[in-house]
Amino acid sequence: MQLSRAAENYLATIYAIQIDKEKVRSIDIVKALNYSRPTISIAMRNLREHKVITMDARGVISMTAKGKKIAQNIYKRRTALRDVLVQKGVSAKTAAQDAAKIEYDLSEESYQAIVSALA
């Protein structure tokens, strides 16, 4: 199953929020991404349909094993790319934005080459 770029971004955002907070709700994603509540609501429904998240009766979002695996991979790649860009003098904000763009289109082979060359 191939998730869209947007769906992967939502998963990575949920994962990043979970690192700092025990419970993630849709409002946390709204704040993190600065998107509207209806947009996030639709996105969360789509993620539930793909069985990569669940949401309990109180609105707490949890990732399924499949969703967590995808999110961890995305987060790891983005973090590594962001760190490389910051080390090369790019501002943290720009580096994070660019890493998210690069990560999606970068092959695993090229990613590994970049990480090993700069390690």
Side-chain angles (χ1 to χ4, degrees), residues 74-87 95-96 98-104 106 110-111 114-115 118:
I74 295 164
Y75 185 80
K76 178 181 133 191
R77 287 169 56 107
R78 283 186 187 176
T79 301
L81 292 167
R82 181 203 63 211
D83 292 350
V84 166
L85 293 171
V86 168
Q87 287 174 2
D98 288 347
K101 295 173 194 171
I102 295 166
E103 180 277 325
Y104 189 78
L106 193 64
S110 293
Y111 167 75
I114 290 168
V115 170
L118 297 170

Side-chain angles (χ1 to χ4, degrees), residues 56-98:
D56 70 16
R58 296 170 299 157
V60 176
I61 298 167
S62 300
M63 283 188 275
T64 63
K66 179 169 67 171
K68 189 171 185 178
K69 182 178 178 182
I70 294 167
Q72 285 175 324
N73 185 46
I74 295 164
Y75 185 80
K76 178 181 133 191
R77 287 169 56 107
R78 283 186 187 176
T79 301
L81 292 167
R82 181 203 63 211
D83 292 350
V84 166
L85 293 171
V86 168
Q87 287 174 2
K88 296 300 180 185
V90 177
S91 74
K93 181 179 178 183
T94 300
Q97 291 169 344
D98 288 347

Side-chain angles (χ1 to χ4, degrees), residues 16-72:
I17 294 168
Q18 283 183 334
I19 290 171
D20 295 327
K21 293 181 75 168
E22 185 176 325
K23 297 177 182 176
V24 178
R25 292 185 168 81
S26 292
I27 191 65
D28 300 316
I29 302 164
V30 167
K31 290 176 183 175
L33 296 175
N34 199 28
Y35 292 168
S36 70
R37 286 181 183 210
T39 298
I40 298 302
S41 179
I42 291 167
M44 294 306 103
R45 183 183 68 220
N46 290 336
L47 292 176
R48 285 193 310 272
E49 289 172 359
H50 280 93
K51 300 187 183 334
V52 292
I53 68 163
T54 61
M55 189 179 295
D56 70 16
R58 296 170 299 157
V60 176
I61 298 167
S62 300
M63 283 188 275
T64 63
K66 179 169 67 171
K68 189 171 185 178
K69 182 178 178 182
I70 294 167
Q72 285 175 324

